[in-house]
Coordinates of all heavy atoms in Angstrom, one line a residue:
V1 N -17.4 22.7 -64.6 CA -16.4 22.4 -63.6 C -15.4 23.3 -63.7 O -14.6 23.4 -64.6 CB -15.9 21.0 -63.7 CG1 -14.8 20.6 -62.6 CG2 -16.9 19.9 -63.5
G2 N -15.0 24.1 -62.5 CA -14.0 25.0 -62.5 C -14.3 26.3 -63.2 O -13.4 27.2 -63.2
R3 N -15.4 26.5 -63.8 CA -15.6 27.7 -64.7 C -16.8 28.6 -64.1 O -17.0 29.6 -64.6 CB -16.1 27.2 -66.0 CG -14.9 26.6 -66.8 CD -15.3 26.1 -68.1 NE -14.2 25.4 -68.9 CZ -13.8 24.1 -68.8 NH1 -14.4 23.4 -67.9 NH2 -12.9 23.7 -69.4
I4 N -17.5 27.9 -63.1 CA -18.7 28.7 -62.5 C -18.5 28.6 -61.0 O -18.1 27.6 -60.4 CB -20.0 28.0 -62.9 CG1 -20.1 28.2 -64.5 CG2 -21.1 28.6 -62.2 CD1 -21.1 27.3 -65.0
R5 N -18.8 29.7 -60.3 CA -18.8 29.6 -58.9 C -20.2 29.8 -58.3 O -21.1 30.6 -58.7 CB -18.1 30.9 -58.4 CG -18.1 31.2 -56.8 CD -17.0 32.2 -56.4 NE -15.8 31.6 -56.6 CZ -14.5 32.2 -56.4 NH1 -14.6 33.6 -56.2 NH2 -13.3 31.5 -56.8
S6 N -20.5 28.9 -57.3 CA -21.8 28.9 -56.7 C -21.8 29.6 -55.3 O -20.6 29.5 -54.7 CB -22.3 27.4 -56.4 OG -22.7 26.8 -57.6
I7 N -22.8 30.4 -55.1 CA -23.0 30.8 -53.7 C -24.3 30.6 -53.2 O -25.3 30.6 -54.0 CB -22.7 32.5 -53.8 CG1 -22.6 33.1 -52.4 CG2 -23.7 33.1 -54.7 CD1 -22.1 34.6 -52.4
F8 N -24.5 30.3 -51.9 CA -25.7 29.8 -51.4 C -26.4 30.8 -50.4 O -25.8 31.3 -49.6 CB -25.4 28.5 -50.6 CG -24.9 27.3 -51.6 CD1 -23.6 27.3 -51.9 CD2 -25.8 26.4 -52.1 CE1 -23.2 26.1 -52.6 CE2 -25.4 25.4 -52.8 CZ -24.0 25.2 -53.1
L9 N -27.7 31.0 -50.7 CA -28.5 32.1 -50.0 C -29.5 31.3 -49.3 O -30.3 30.6 -49.8 CB -29.0 33.0 -50.9 CG -29.8 34.1 -50.3 CD1 -28.9 35.0 -49.3 CD2 -30.4 35.1 -51.3
Y10 N -29.7 31.7 -48.0 CA -30.8 31.1 -47.1 C -31.6 32.2 -46.6 O -31.4 33.4 -46.8 CB -30.0 30.4 -46.0 CG -29.0 29.4 -46.4 CD1 -27.7 29.7 -46.3 CD2 -29.4 28.1 -46.7 CE1 -26.7 28.8 -46.8 CE2 -28.5 27.2 -47.2 CZ -27.2 27.5 -47.2 OH -26.1 26.6 -47.5
P11 N -32.7 31.9 -45.9 CA -33.5 32.9 -45.2 C -32.7 33.7 -44.3 O -31.6 33.3 -43.9 CB -34.6 32.0 -44.5 CG -34.7 30.8 -45.2 CD -33.3 30.5 -45.7
F12 N -33.2 34.9 -43.8 CA -32.4 35.7 -43.0 C -31.9 35.0 -41.7 O -32.6 34.1 -41.1 CB -33.4 36.9 -42.4 CG -33.6 38.1 -43.3 CD1 -34.1 38.0 -44.5 CD2 -32.9 39.3 -42.9 CE1 -34.3 39.0 -45.3 CE2 -33.2 40.3 -43.7 CZ -33.6 40.2 -45.1
S13 N -30.7 35.3 -41.3 CA -30.0 34.8 -40.1 C -30.6 35.8 -39.0 O -31.1 36.8 -39.2 CB -28.6 34.7 -40.1 OG -28.0 36.1 -40.3
F14 N -30.3 35.4 -37.7 CA -30.6 36.2 -36.6 C -29.8 37.6 -36.6 O -30.4 38.7 -36.4 CB -30.4 35.5 -35.3 CG -30.8 36.4 -34.0 CD1 -32.1 36.7 -33.8 CD2 -29.9 36.8 -33.1 CE1 -32.5 37.4 -32.8 CE2 -30.1 37.7 -32.1 CZ -31.5 38.0 -32.0
D15 N -28.5 37.5 -37.1 CA -27.8 38.7 -37.1 C -28.4 39.7 -38.2 O -28.5 40.8 -37.9 CB -26.4 38.4 -37.5 CG -25.6 37.9 -36.3 OD1 -26.2 37.8 -35.3 OD2 -24.4 37.5 -36.4
E16 N -28.8 39.2 -39.3 CA -29.5 39.9 -40.4 C -30.8 40.4 -39.9 O -31.2 41.7 -40.4 CB -29.7 39.0 -41.6 CG -28.4 38.7 -42.4 CD -28.7 37.7 -43.5 OE1 -29.4 36.8 -43.4 OE2 -28.0 37.9 -44.6
F17 N -31.5 39.7 -39.1 CA -32.7 40.2 -38.5 C -32.4 41.5 -37.6 O -33.2 42.4 -37.7 CB -33.4 39.1 -37.7 CG -34.6 39.5 -37.0 CD1 -35.8 39.9 -37.7 CD2 -34.7 39.5 -35.6 CE1 -37.0 40.3 -37.0 CE2 -35.9 39.9 -35.0 CZ -37.1 40.2 -35.6
L18 N -31.4 41.4 -36.8 CA -31.1 42.6 -36.0 C -30.7 43.7 -36.8 O -31.1 44.9 -36.6 CB -29.9 42.3 -35.0 CG -30.1 41.2 -34.0 CD1 -28.7 41.0 -33.3 CD2 -31.3 41.5 -33.1
I19 N -30.0 43.7 -37.9 CA -29.7 44.7 -38.9 C -30.9 45.3 -39.6 O -31.1 46.5 -39.6 CB -28.7 44.2 -40.0 CG1 -27.3 44.0 -39.3 CG2 -28.5 45.3 -41.0 CD1 -26.4 43.2 -40.4
A20 N -31.8 44.4 -40.0 CA -33.0 44.9 -40.5 C -33.9 45.7 -39.4 O -34.6 46.6 -39.9 CB -34.0 43.5 -41.0
N21 N -33.8 45.3 -38.1 CA -34.6 46.3 -37.2 C -33.8 47.4 -36.7 O -34.1 48.0 -35.7 CB -34.8 45.2 -36.0 CG -36.0 44.3 -36.2 OD1 -37.1 44.8 -35.9 ND2 -35.8 43.1 -36.6
N22 N -32.6 47.6 -37.5 CA -31.7 48.8 -37.1 C -31.2 48.8 -35.7 O -30.9 49.7 -35.1 CB -32.6 50.1 -37.3 CG -31.6 51.3 -37.5 OD1 -30.5 51.2 -38.1 ND2 -32.1 52.5 -37.1
E23 N -31.0 47.5 -35.4 CA -30.2 47.2 -34.0 C -28.8 47.1 -34.2 O -28.3 46.0 -33.7 CB -31.0 46.1 -33.4 CG -32.4 46.2 -32.8 CD -32.6 47.1 -31.7 OE1 -31.5 47.5 -31.1 OE2 -33.6 47.3 -31.2
H24 N -28.1 48.0 -34.7 CA -26.7 47.9 -35.0 C -26.0 47.9 -33.8 O -24.8 47.1 -33.7 CB -26.2 49.0 -35.9 CG -26.9 49.1 -37.4 ND1 -26.5 48.3 -38.3 CD2 -28.0 49.8 -37.7 CE1 -27.3 48.4 -39.5 NE2 -28.2 49.3 -39.0
F25 N -26.3 48.7 -32.8 CA -25.6 48.7 -31.5 C -25.7 47.5 -30.8 O -24.7 47.0 -30.1 CB -25.9 49.9 -30.7 CG -25.5 51.2 -31.2 CD1 -26.5 52.2 -31.6 CD2 -24.2 51.5 -31.5 CE1 -26.2 53.4 -32.2 CE2 -23.9 52.8 -32.0 CZ -24.7 53.8 -32.3
L26 N -26.9 46.9 -30.9 CA -27.1 45.6 -30.2 C -26.3 44.5 -30.8 O -25.8 43.6 -30.2 CB -28.6 45.3 -30.2 CG -29.1 44.1 -29.5 CD1 -28.8 44.3 -28.0 CD2 -30.6 43.8 -29.7
L27 N -26.2 44.4 -32.1 CA -25.4 43.4 -32.8 C -24.0 43.7 -32.5 O -23.3 42.7 -32.4 CB -25.8 43.6 -34.4 CG -25.0 42.7 -35.3 CD1 -25.1 41.2 -34.9 CD2 -25.2 43.0 -36.7
E28 N -23.5 44.8 -32.5 CA -22.1 45.1 -32.2 C -21.8 44.6 -30.7 O -20.6 44.0 -30.7 CB -21.8 46.6 -32.4 CG -20.3 46.9 -32.2 CD -20.0 48.4 -32.3 OE1 -20.9 49.2 -32.7 OE2 -18.9 48.8 -32.2
A29 N -22.7 44.8 -29.8 CA -22.5 44.4 -28.5 C -22.4 42.9 -28.4 O -21.6 42.3 -27.8 CB -23.5 44.9 -27.6
K30 N -23.3 42.2 -29.2 CA -23.3 40.9 -29.1 C -22.0 40.1 -29.8 O -21.4 39.3 -29.3 CB -24.6 40.2 -29.9 CG -24.5 38.9 -30.1 CD -25.8 38.3 -31.0 CE -25.5 38.3 -32.3 NZ -24.6 37.3 -32.7
Q31 N -21.6 40.9 -30.8 CA -20.5 40.3 -31.5 C -19.2 40.5 -30.7 O -18.2 39.5 -30.8 CB -20.3 41.1 -32.8 CG -21.3 40.8 -33.9 CD -21.2 41.6 -35.1 OE1 -20.7 42.8 -35.1 NE2 -21.7 41.1 -36.2
K32 N -19.1 41.4 -29.8 CA -17.9 41.6 -28.8 C -17.9 40.7 -27.6 O -16.8 40.5 -27.1 CB -17.9 43.0 -28.4 CG -17.6 44.1 -29.5 CD -17.5 45.5 -29.0 CE -17.1 46.4 -29.9 NZ -17.2 47.9 -29.4
A33 N -19.1 40.1 -27.3 CA -19.1 39.5 -26.3 C -18.6 38.0 -26.5 O -18.6 37.4 -27.7 CB -20.7 39.1 -25.8
N34 N -18.1 37.2 -25.4 CA -17.6 36.0 -25.4 C -17.7 35.2 -24.2 O -18.3 35.9 -23.1 CB -16.2 35.9 -25.9 CG -15.2 36.7 -25.3 OD1 -15.2 36.6 -24.0 ND2 -14.5 37.6 -25.9
C35 N -17.3 34.0 -24.0 CA -17.4 33.3 -22.8 C -16.8 33.9 -21.5 O -17.2 33.6 -20.4 CB -16.9 31.9 -22.9 SG -17.9 30.9 -24.2
S36 N -15.7 34.7 -21.8 CA -15.0 35.3 -20.8 C -15.5 36.7 -20.6 O -15.0 37.5 -19.7 CB -13.4 35.2 -20.9 OG -13.1 35.9 -22.2
N37 N -16.3 37.3 -21.5 CA -16.8 38.7 -21.5 C -18.3 38.7 -21.8 O -18.5 39.0 -22.8 CB -15.9 39.5 -22.5 CG -16.4 40.8 -22.5 OD1 -16.7 41.5 -21.4 ND2 -16.4 41.6 -23.7
P38 N -19.1 38.2 -20.8 CA -20.5 38.2 -21.0 C -21.2 39.6 -21.1 O -20.6 40.6 -20.9 CB -21.0 37.5 -19.7 CG -19.9 37.7 -18.7 CD -18.7 37.8 -19.4
L39 N -22.2 39.6 -21.6 CA -23.2 40.8 -21.8 C -23.8 41.2 -20.5 O -24.1 40.5 -19.6 CB -24.3 40.5 -22.9 CG -23.8 40.3 -24.3 CD1 -25.0 39.9 -25.1 CD2 -23.5 41.7 -24.9
H40 N -24.0 42.5 -20.4 CA -24.8 43.0 -19.4 C -26.2 42.4 -19.4 O -26.7 42.1 -20.5 CB -25.0 44.6 -19.4 CG -25.6 45.2 -18.2 ND1 -27.0 45.1 -18.0 CD2 -25.0 45.7 -17.1 CE1 -27.3 45.7 -16.8 NE2 -26.1 46.1 -16.3
E41 N -26.8 41.9 -18.3 CA -28.0 41.3 -18.3 C -29.2 41.9 -19.1 O -30.0 41.3 -19.5 CB -28.4 40.9 -16.9 CG -27.7 39.8 -16.3 CD -27.7 38.5 -16.9 OE1 -28.8 38.1 -17.3 OE2 -26.7 37.8 -17.1
S42 N -29.2 43.2 -18.9 CA -30.2 44.0 -19.7 C -30.1 43.7 -21.1 O -31.1 43.7 -21.8 CB -30.2 45.4 -19.2 OG -29.1 46.0 -19.6
I43 N -28.9 43.8 -21.6 CA -28.6 43.6 -23.1 C -29.0 42.2 -23.5 O -29.7 41.9 -24.5 CB -27.3 44.0 -23.4 CG1 -27.0 45.5 -23.2 CG2 -26.9 43.6 -24.9 CD1 -25.5 45.8 -23.4
H44 N -28.6 41.2 -22.6 CA -28.9 39.7 -22.9 C -30.4 39.6 -22.9 O -30.8 39.0 -23.8 CB -28.2 39.1 -21.6 CG -28.7 37.6 -21.7 ND1 -28.4 36.6 -22.6 CD2 -29.6 36.9 -20.8 CE1 -28.9 35.4 -22.3 NE2 -29.6 35.6 -21.2
D45 N -31.1 40.3 -22.0 CA -32.6 40.1 -22.0 C -33.2 40.6 -23.3 O -34.1 40.1 -23.7 CB -33.2 40.8 -20.8 CG -32.8 40.1 -19.5 OD1 -32.4 38.9 -19.5 OD2 -33.0 40.6 -18.4
K46 N -32.8 41.8 -23.8 CA -33.1 42.3 -25.0 C -33.0 41.4 -26.2 O -33.8 41.3 -27.0 CB -32.6 43.6 -25.2 CG -33.1 44.5 -26.5 CD -32.6 45.7 -26.7 CE -33.3 46.4 -28.0 NZ -32.8 47.9 -28.1

């Protein structure tokens, strides 16, 4: 108790999957989007 730190690892998330596919620009575009700033439909479809 208080002497050890736990960290939890799960299977790949969708964001990690995008990085694994070298889709860094796609991930960056997704991260910038929000409810008042939607994505271009072609990017959304991808």
Side-chain angles (χ1 to χ4, degrees):
V1 177
R3 298 172 177 84
I4 296 163
R5 173 166 294 170
S6 290
I7 188 168
F8 295 84
L9 182 63
Y10 305 98
F12 274 68
S13 67
F14 181 66
D15 284 2
E16 290 176 317
F17 176 65
L18 292 179
I19 294 173
N21 280 274
N22 203 28
E23 292 285 359
H24 298 282
F25 292 116
L26 186 62
L27 176 60
E28 184 179 354
K30 181 183 83 71
Q31 290 173 333
K32 290 180 178 179
N34 54 50
C35 296
S36 58
N37 181 35
L39 289 165
H40 188 280
E41 282 302 316
S42 61
I43 297 176
H44 170 72
D45 291 343
K46 182 175 180 179

